[in-house]
Amino acid sequence: MATEKILVIGSQGQIGLELTQELRTIFGENNVIASDVKLPEIDNGLFEILDVMDKNRLNEVFKKHGVTQVYLLAALLSATAEKNPRFAWDLNMEGLFNVLNAAKEGIIKKVYWPSSIAVFGPTTPKQQTPQYTVMEPNTIYGISKLAGERYCEYYHQKFGVDVRSIRYPGLIGYKSAPGGGTTDYAVHIYHEAIKNKAYTSFLNAETELPMMYMPDALQATIGLMEAAADKVKIRSSYNVAGMSFNPEQIAAAIRKHIPEFKIDYNPDFRQAIADSWPQSINDSFAKEHWGWQPKFNLETMTEDMLNNLKGH
Ligand code: SER
């Protein structure tokens, strides 16, 4: 079997940093090329400066490394996208077109593209949100992700492109910082709990959202990409779930380790975004089709996050 050459686009982002490390452990340092619009702070392996909107440069990188698989993670997230909607649309869509078209032309063989719970909107059922349901997102980010999902399925059906996708919930990890999401509070809260024993949340106490610990997200992502093609029956994007909680509940989980921890609330524009999203997700298709199974819950994640952050 030919060796896979994997390109991670957006390798300096919250998912990219951790996914690149994990892919290198599995597939070998020389088979995973990191790329981003800016140079990494620490030089740790094959890297290319790459703006995914620059089609010529993209094809140059594909050719130079003989890339077979792409993980396309470059995007503007929900909160930043609301501040710069035109650029968010251009980046999120143009990047996807460039990569899907390369796959259509046979230049690359397999594509991973992340979608999000942001594809759902205020008219979607909030509890145990099904795979197939009302989808009327009211954020630019969500609109771009839903359009992207439709494009992925279209490219699979019309042109046989092997594209795979997950609708991520909020992602929480200690190795990388989130940037511009509505679920970012659930990462910041751990840092502040250790530093200041206090946190002011930009979402109110009752805002329940679906979340996932990064090791589970990596396992889901690579698990889906490594699944046999015939098991990947959904080519728009799969619902996956880890856990669900609100700011009050995560604060309570932290207090089991840091009893003095205090939380207060000062909701901003991100509250409306969060209020438009599901509270919990039904992921039975991912479990059934390719064996998805999360490992972490709020308690085990909190223990692991705090232990690792204290060590840093
Ligand atoms: N975590 C993302 C955000 O908050 C959702 O995909 O924007």
Side-chain angles (χ1 to χ4, degrees):
M1 216 172 76
T3 320
E4 297 294 336
K5 290 280 179 187
I6 302 172
L7 177 68
V8 180
I9 302 175
S11 63
Q12 300 306 296
Q14 186 194 13
I15 304 171
L17 268 173
E18 297 213 29
L19 187 70
T20 305
Q21 276 181 19
E22 187 69 16
L23 289 169
R24 283 184 171 151
T25 307
I26 299 170
F27 296 97
E29 298 282 327
N30 295 329
N31 297 320
V32 182
I33 303 104
S35 72
D36 209 302
V37 286
K38 54 181 191 293
L39 276 170
E41 278 164 28
I42 314 156
D43 173 16
N44 59 355
L46 286 174
F47 181 86
E48 295 286 347
I49 287 275
L50 175 63
D51 177 350
V52 69
M53 291 163 78
D54 182 346
K55 208 175 132 190
N56 293 334
R57 173 73 184 132
L58 187 65
N59 284 318
E60 194 180 289
V61 172
F62 287 159
K63 217 163 139 191
K64 177 174 167 191
H65 295 278
V67 172
T68 59
Q69 293 186 16
V70 171
Y71 287 77
L72 169 53
L73 306 173
L76 237 55
L77 292 193
S78 59
T80 0
E82 290 307 301
K83 292 187 171 155
N84 200 348
R86 182 59 212 251
F87 176 66
W89 178 262
D90 289 347
L91 171 65
N92 293 4
M93 299 312 296
E94 196 71 23
L96 178 60
F97 292 151
N98 287 344
V99 171
L100 284 179
N101 283 328
K104 179 188 164 194
E105 288 162 26
I107 299 169
I108 52 172
K109 304 275 174 288
K110 211 192 257 186
V111 177
Y112 179 80
W113 176 79
S115 186
S116 160
I117 54 161
V119 293
F120 301 114
T123 53
T124 303
K126 281 197 180 299
Q127 292 291 343
Q128 283 296 308
T129 301
Q131 174 74 33
Y132 300 107
T133 183
V134 181
M135 296 172 93
E136 297 183 318
N138 62 2
T139 62
I140 281 296
Y141 177 67
I143 295 168
S144 75
K145 287 296 180 189
L146 181 54
E149 284 192 9
R150 302 318 306 149
Y151 266 98
C152 288
E153 189 179 282
Y154 183 87
Y155 269 68
H156 178 73
Q157 285 177 353
K158 290 267 166 174
F159 312 119
V161 167
D162 190 354
V163 54
R164 305 172 182 208
S165 176
I166 281 171
R167 291 173 181 153
Y168 289 127
L171 298 183
I172 297 155
Y174 60 89
K175 291 184 188 163
S176 57
T182 300
T183 56
D184 294 8
Y185 93 86
V187 180
H188 298 149
I189 195 169
Y190 288 111
H191 289 264
E192 293 303 309
I194 287 176
K195 247 197 304 186
N196 302 319
K197 303 199 178 349
Y199 180 68
T200 302
S201 170
F202 58 75
L203 299 181
N204 70 32
E206 298 83 39
T207 313
E208 182 182 350
L209 287 169
M211 300 276 185
M212 185 178 284
Y213 197 33
M214 193 59 88
D216 277 340
L218 299 180
Q219 192 220 319
T221 307
I222 298 170
L224 174 63
M225 279 296 268
E226 290 303 300
D230 64 337
K231 292 205 188 305
V232 187
K233 298 185 206 307
I234 294 173
R235 296 298 184 143
S236 51
S237 191
Y238 274 96
N239 275 13
V240 293
M243 59 191 94
S244 283
F245 56 78
N246 63 34
E248 197 167 52
Q249 289 165 326
I250 191 174
I254 291 173
R255 251 179 241 120
K256 288 184 190 156
H257 304 266
I258 307 173
E260 324 83 279
F261 178 67
K262 284 197 172 51
I263 184 164
D264 60 8
Y265 302 94
N266 186 15
D268 65 16
F269 75 102
R270 288 169 281 193
Q271 184 66 49
I273 300 178
D275 288 341
S276 78
W277 289 352
Q279 296 175 333
S280 62
I281 297 289
N282 182 307
D283 60 356
S284 51
F285 286 111
K287 286 179 166 146
E288 212 177 284
H289 293 177
W290 43 276
W292 157 242
Q293 199 56 57
K295 292 197 179 73
F296 286 90
N297 60 29
L298 177 57
E299 276 66 41
T300 50
M301 172 179 77
T302 298
E303 198 181 334
D304 201 62
M305 276 296 281
L306 292 174
N307 284 341
N308 280 292
L309 286 175
K310 275 180 204 152
H312 271 73

